[in-house]
Each structure stands twice: as structure tokens, then as C-alpha cells.
Amino acid sequence: MHLSDDGKTLLCVTSSDIQEGRFIIPSTVNRIGEWAFRGCTNLTEVSIAEGVVVEMNAFESCTGLTTVNLAKGAIVNFRAFESCTGLTTVNLA
């Protein structure tokens, strides 16, 4: 996992960072950068906290992703989940 210098933007996650299909986004993160999870096919579920901005293509080609949990106030940009062909459930809290 790579974060911006200030720890507020998640820049890159690799498949080895994902445990049992899940990745816990650090509480300091308020932005998930473009292509941060690109191609993490072993990611099956992700929870996005209140106020977190998800950039374009952040989860592109995460074909194993089936469930996204979005907290109130999360902001999801256009094509954030591009080519996530397994995505079947989006839970809004």
C-alpha cells in the first residue's frame, strides 16, 4: 500500500495488500486516487467511510469485487468501478 506524503490519499494497493478478499482503508485516508486498486482481482469487498472521495477508475478491473459498502457522504466519481464485472451489491449507509 502506498499513501501520499500526508497520508490522506490512497495511491496504490496491490493484491498482496488484500487479506481474505478485503482491504481496510486507513482512517487517515480521505481520498482514493485514480487507479489505486486497478486490477486487484482478489478484492471481493470494500467499505468506504464517510467523506471519502473515490476518484475516477479507482477500482478499475477489480473483477472479483462483489460488494461495496458506502457510508453517508462518500463521494464516488464517474467510472470509479469501471470493468468491475462481478459487482452485484452496493450498500448505502
Side-chain angles (χ1 to χ4, degrees), residues 2 5 7 11 14 16 18 22 49 51 57 62 69 71-72 79 85-87 91 93:
H2 298 286
D5 290 339
L11 300 173
T14 64
S16 62
I18 298 166
R22 296 184 179 157
N57 301 98
C62 292
N69 302 304
K72 180 180 180 180
R79 295 190 341 222
T85 55
L87 185 59
N91 298 309

Side-chain angles (χ1 to χ4, degrees), residues 51-65:
V52 173
V53 175
V54 182
E55 295 291 342
M56 252 178 27
N57 301 98
F59 292 90
E60 182 178 321
S61 298
C62 292
T63 55
L65 184 62

Side-chain angles (χ1 to χ4, degrees), residues 2 6 10 16 30-31 36 48 51 55 62-64 76 78 87 89:
H2 298 286
D6 63 4
L10 181 58
S16 62
N30 63 15
R31 182 173 299 275
I48 300 169
E55 295 291 342
C62 292
T63 55
V76 180
F78 179 67
L87 185 59
T89 306

